[in-house]
Amino acid sequence: MDGVGSNPKLHSQSKAFHFFELALRLCVIPFTLSSLLVIVSSNQTSDLYGTVEFNNLSGFKYLISINAISGVYSLGSIFISKSKCFKMYDWVLFVLDQMTTYLMVTSGSAVSEILYLAEKGDREVSWSEVCSYFGSFCQKTKVSLGLHFVALVCFIVLSLISAFRLFSKFDAPSSSLADMEENGK
């Protein structure tokens, strides 16, 4: 037993902690879904430059994929956390929360770079900015990226929660060689 069941105050704190975790996992779903839908609906045509769509750039496709994976994982992790059907539950959620967070960081960074180049251009390599021609597309991309980063913040907090839940089950490492010698090791 983890000691929580024997102390009513710790048990109520644990329930509140678990409720907060479930609320965050639920919050991720609409943010990732909204980000995905906004970027997919982003397209614009210019008489001078043609049409730009989300599928023209691999960074946008990557963002869409990671948003879909993150939303589905968040939904699945809610069911996993409700059932706790296997022994390694805490380890699995810890690793998957970490992986999802890192994937969200990379996809958000990829689209941020694309958006920066679209806004500012890069004169050294003769890339001009394009948001003055495709303003609606750039605005939708910003909205999608903002929603993605809100979901990312939720996953950062979830990663901290899963790490705390997992590593609080272990004793702290011995602080000195004298402690190890004292214990006969």
Side-chain angles (χ1 to χ4, degrees), residues 22 33 52 86 99 105 127 138:
L22 285 177
L33 181 62
V52 65
F86 49 92
M99 286 175 41
V105 166
W127 287 348
C138 289

Side-chain angles (χ1 to χ4, degrees), residues 13 15 17 36 47 51 54 67 82 95 98 117 163 167:
Q13 288 175 346
K15 280 191 169 224
F17 197 62
L36 186 148
D47 292 337
T51 301
F54 75 92
N67 276 328
K82 283 293 195 186
V95 169
Q98 296 293 315
L117 288 172
F167 295 115

Side-chain angles (χ1 to χ4, degrees), residues 102-177:
Y102 294 135
L103 287 171
M104 290 189 76
V105 166
T106 60
S107 62
S109 297
V111 171
S112 294
E113 180 182 10
I114 292 168
L115 190 57
Y116 178 81
L117 288 172
E119 285 275 329
K120 307 287 184 194
D122 189 350
R123 293 194 185 270
E124 290 181 26
V125 292
S126 300
W127 287 348
S128 60
E129 60 84 24
V130 295
C131 283
S132 60
Y133 305 105
F134 297 105
S136 174
F137 181 81
C138 289
Q139 285 302 96
K140 284 186 174 184
T141 302
K142 288 177 189 177
V143 169
S144 177
L145 193 59
L147 292 166
H148 179 80
F149 278 122
V150 171
L152 172 61
V153 168
C154 291
F155 262 110
I156 289 170
V157 174
L158 284 167
S159 292
L160 293 171
I161 290 171
S162 62
F164 175 77
R165 184 184 338 94
L166 175 64
F167 295 115
S168 65
K169 293 180 178 184
F170 298 101
D171 291 331
S174 180
S175 62
S176 70
L177 185 58

